[in-house]
Amino acid sequence: MFPAFSGRYASLPDRMRAEMAPTPVAAPRLLAFNRPLAEALGFDLDAFDATRAAEVLGGNAVPDGATPIAAAYAGHQFGNFVPQLGDGRAILLGELAHRDGGLREVQLKGAGRTPFSRGGDGRAPIGPVLREYLVSEAMAALGVPTTRALAAVASGEQVVRQMVEPGAVLTRVASSHVRVGTFQYFAARRDSEALSLLVDFCIERHYPELADLPEAERALALVEAVVERQASLVAQWKGLGFIHGVMNTDNCAISGETIDYGPCAFMDAFHPHRVFSSIDERGRYAWDNQPAIAQWNLARLAETLLPLISDDQERAVALATEAIEAFAECHDAAWTAVLRAKLGLGAEDSQGQPESRSTDGQGGQVADEDLALGEDFLKAMEEGNADFTLSFAHLPRALAGDEAALAEGFERSGRLEAWLPRWRERLAREGVADEVVGARLAAANPQVIPRNHLVEKAIRAAIDDDDLSVFETLLAAVTRPYQTPDDTSLLAPPGRDERVLRTFCGT
């Protein structure tokens, strides 16, 4: 049933990881299994055995070819540097070949104590496991680079956090689990050899277009490539009203994938300073702070690679600074593209020519105009205390002339009423049929997201009643986010007594 594993990261020097098996659990039971992802990873689903799957993915058996390890890394947590973190409750089994030709690492999260546990129990409660499963699969369906969930396995044991709840193990799949904090771990130890090995690993795995560069150029080129991916990633988060919640450097993946769905949340009513994480007391990782924090995290990556960028420290700092400062332009371009798509706009200048080929000087002006148009819609949503997802999802109705259907979601609609004619005028300049604009809007704006109150309902049903049907219904809806679900209550924002305003890490 299981394909054969390999272990590229496990082949790196011993000081980069600890080789160890998962700690067995009392009574592994499969709660959820991602069959489409499993098929893409080469599983033989005709021979699928739920009992065997639970044994392996619960940590009670090691599959063929796997070399289980816990990886070392460090990180800035809410701005404070911790020189040793590492996989404190996760075991990397190894990697599998994906049908797209790439490799994917398979990790068990909640698999028991490791040398990096720092006194923790190494386990995971069922709540955070089901949350990560739901949200990561929703993000994948929304087209956002992300880690994936292959399985959730009940452990048959209890875990104590804010409360006592059943334990579980999540099988997480990622292009790799190398983070900014991985580089920080070895930079803090002045281990240039390990840093060079990490640069080579990340280029081989994530940026093969850089493979032929001379050794002296590879570290800087890696920083530049990661800057571009992270800038695009954060713009995509913002376009969904998504707040990561723990954008520490150990949760900033070199691959450009979203990693670690702890206290994350999707906004209901829009507010740019929205925070949900119970541990983010000062709003460091609020919705509108995410670009600046991502840039800050990447500056820490660049710092670790200064010795590899140039032997001349002054030159290395100058080159690294230039690479990091490029983040703002990359993000602004990506954010403008996201807003254009969400407003149904084409990337054209006022003369109807693609911006990249514009020769009349209007391309940049229209980019600024479109950015302002998108952000002014957000301001109208903020003034009106309007739902982020539904406001964008209802734009096709306004396009068709039913502006009231959009306005009814706004408690105050003055800004919206002033904005709508500007939007219509911008669309008219393109000369594109409403049917085309409507299709653009439908493709860019989801109807269903894993709203906090829905996720909590699914978790409570699983914990209190051992009922996974609520989870399964929500999973089916959020993995088809652009379709209207049979249960239309999944579209609605929470009622006043359903609001979930705080989320937790589960560590």
Side-chain angles (χ1 to χ4, degrees):
M1 180 182 75
F2 281 82
F5 282 75
S6 58
R8 175 73 175 86
Y9 203 84
S11 70
L12 296 176
D14 291 349
R15 64 187 183 279
M16 302 179 79
R17 74 289 189 286
E19 192 169 313
M20 59 182 306
T23 303
V25 299
R29 175 172 59 94
L30 199 62
L31 300 174
F33 185 72
N34 191 336
R35 293 180 71 90
L37 178 58
E39 183 178 20
L41 292 171
F43 280 69
D44 180 1
L45 296 183
D46 290 336
F48 180 76
D49 181 328
T51 300
R52 172 63 178 167
E55 286 285 329
V56 173
L57 302 178
N60 287 21
V62 176
D64 292 343
T67 305
I69 62 166
Y73 54 83
H76 276 88
Q77 298 194 316
F78 290 87
N80 300 306
F81 184 62
V82 182
Q84 180 171 303
L85 294 169
D87 287 331
R89 57 173 181 155
I91 299 291
L92 179 65
L93 293 180
E95 59 200 16
L96 297 174
H98 193 279
R99 66 182 170 203
D100 66 7
L103 294 171
R104 301 290 192 277
E105 291 184 345
V106 179
Q107 183 191 72
L108 303 184
K109 189 173 178 181
R113 288 190 177 92
T114 78
F116 306 109
S117 294
R118 296 181 296 160
D121 62 9
R123 293 305 193 188
I126 191 173
V129 166
L130 295 184
R131 172 180 288 270
E132 181 158 348
Y133 198 115
L134 282 166
V135 181
S136 63
E137 287 307 295
M139 291 289 261
L142 289 162
V144 180
T146 181
T147 61
R148 300 287 305 275
L150 178 61
V153 175
S155 67
E157 301 170 352
Q158 298 295 305
V159 175
V160 181
R161 295 294 184 267
Q162 282 80 20
M163 63 184 75
V164 178
E165 61 183 286
V169 179
L170 176 78
T171 305
R172 182 163 69 188
V173 176
S175 294
S176 87
H177 288 80
V178 178
R179 315 132 189 273
V180 170
T182 313
F183 284 84
Q184 291 182 290
Y185 180 88
F186 296 103
R189 289 155 179 77
R190 301 183 184 277
D191 190 340
S192 294
E193 179 190 28
L195 291 171
S196 294
L197 289 171
L198 282 173
V199 168
D200 291 343
F201 176 88
C202 291
I203 288 176
E204 173 192 319
R205 179 61 57 86
H206 306 301
Y207 304 96
E209 67 275 13
L210 307 180
D212 294 333
L213 287 177
E215 193 69 29
E217 299 176 17
R218 290 163 69 86
L220 179 62
L222 177 63
V223 173
E224 293 169 340
V226 178
V227 163
E228 288 188 16
R229 284 203 189 172
Q230 285 288 335
S232 174
L233 178 67
V234 171
Q236 289 177 274
W237 288 355
K238 288 172 61 183
L240 294 167
F242 177 76
I243 303 164
H244 185 280
V246 276
M247 288 181 65
N248 299 325
T249 57
D250 56 297
N251 294 327
C252 182
I254 302 301
S255 63
E257 294 175 326
T258 313
I259 189 170
D260 198 327
Y261 291 94
C264 65
F266 289 80
M267 275 192 283
D268 296 307
F270 175 71
H271 194 290
H273 309 316
R274 187 75 71 200
V275 173
F276 289 91
S277 170
S278 64
I279 56 177
D280 191 3
E281 296 177 354
R282 298 184 179 180
R284 177 182 174 88
Y285 301 144
W287 179 87
D288 59 348
N289 283 349
Q290 292 177 127
I293 290 297
Q295 185 178 36
W296 190 91
N297 287 346
L298 295 173
R300 309 289 77 76
L301 172 66
E303 287 171 354
T304 70
L305 293 175
L306 289 175
L308 302 184
I309 290 173
S310 176
D311 292 335
D312 180 338
Q313 185 176 15
E314 186 174 333
R315 174 173 166 75
V317 170
L319 291 170
T321 299
E322 183 179 1
I324 297 303
E325 288 179 345
F327 180 94
E329 184 176 352
C330 290
H331 171 266
D332 287 351
W335 179 225
T336 301
V338 166
L339 288 175
R340 275 186 171 139
K342 293 184 76 65
L343 297 181
L345 305 177
E348 297 181 343
D349 69 20
S350 58
Q351 304 300 314
Q353 296 176 327
E355 277 187 49
S356 60
R357 292 182 287 172
S358 176
T359 58
D360 61 8
Q362 297 298 309
Q365 177 181 331
V366 172
D368 292 343
E369 176 189 339
D370 291 349
L371 178 60
L373 185 68
E375 294 194 332
D376 284 349
F377 185 52
L378 295 176
K379 290 175 184 176
M381 290 162 56
E382 181 183 3
E383 177 190 75
N385 198 35
D387 186 81
F388 186 96
T389 301
L390 292 184
S391 295
F392 282 105
H394 287 168
L395 283 176
R397 298 170 70 176
L399 179 71
D402 187 4
E403 295 181 356
L406 173 62
E408 69 182 13
F410 287 66
E411 294 177 4
R412 293 169 296 281
S413 59
R415 276 184 181 267
L416 176 66
E417 291 168 4
W419 179 85
L420 281 166
R422 293 170 53 203
W423 177 54
R424 289 188 178 282
E425 189 274 335
R426 173 65 179 88
L427 288 172
R429 293 209 320 256
E430 292 188 12
V432 177
D434 284 356
E435 291 79 4
V436 174
V437 177
R440 290 175 180 171
L441 290 168
N445 295 306
Q447 298 188 53
V448 190
I449 56 168
R451 295 181 183 270
N452 283 352
H453 71 292
L454 299 177
V455 173
E456 288 301 317
K457 284 180 181 179
I459 291 171
R460 292 313 325 164
I463 293 174
D464 297 341
D465 304 317
D466 195 23
D467 177 9
L468 288 169
S469 66
V470 183
F471 165 84
E472 291 163 355
T473 298
L474 181 57
L475 179 65
V478 300
T479 52
R480 292 189 288 272
Y482 300 97
Q483 299 178 22
T484 302
D486 293 337
D487 182 356
T488 56
S489 70
L490 300 179
L491 302 175
R496 186 174 299 275
D497 60 348
E498 293 179 307
R499 294 174 184 169
V500 176
L501 301 177
R502 300 181 77 208
T503 52
F504 300 88
C505 276
T507 54

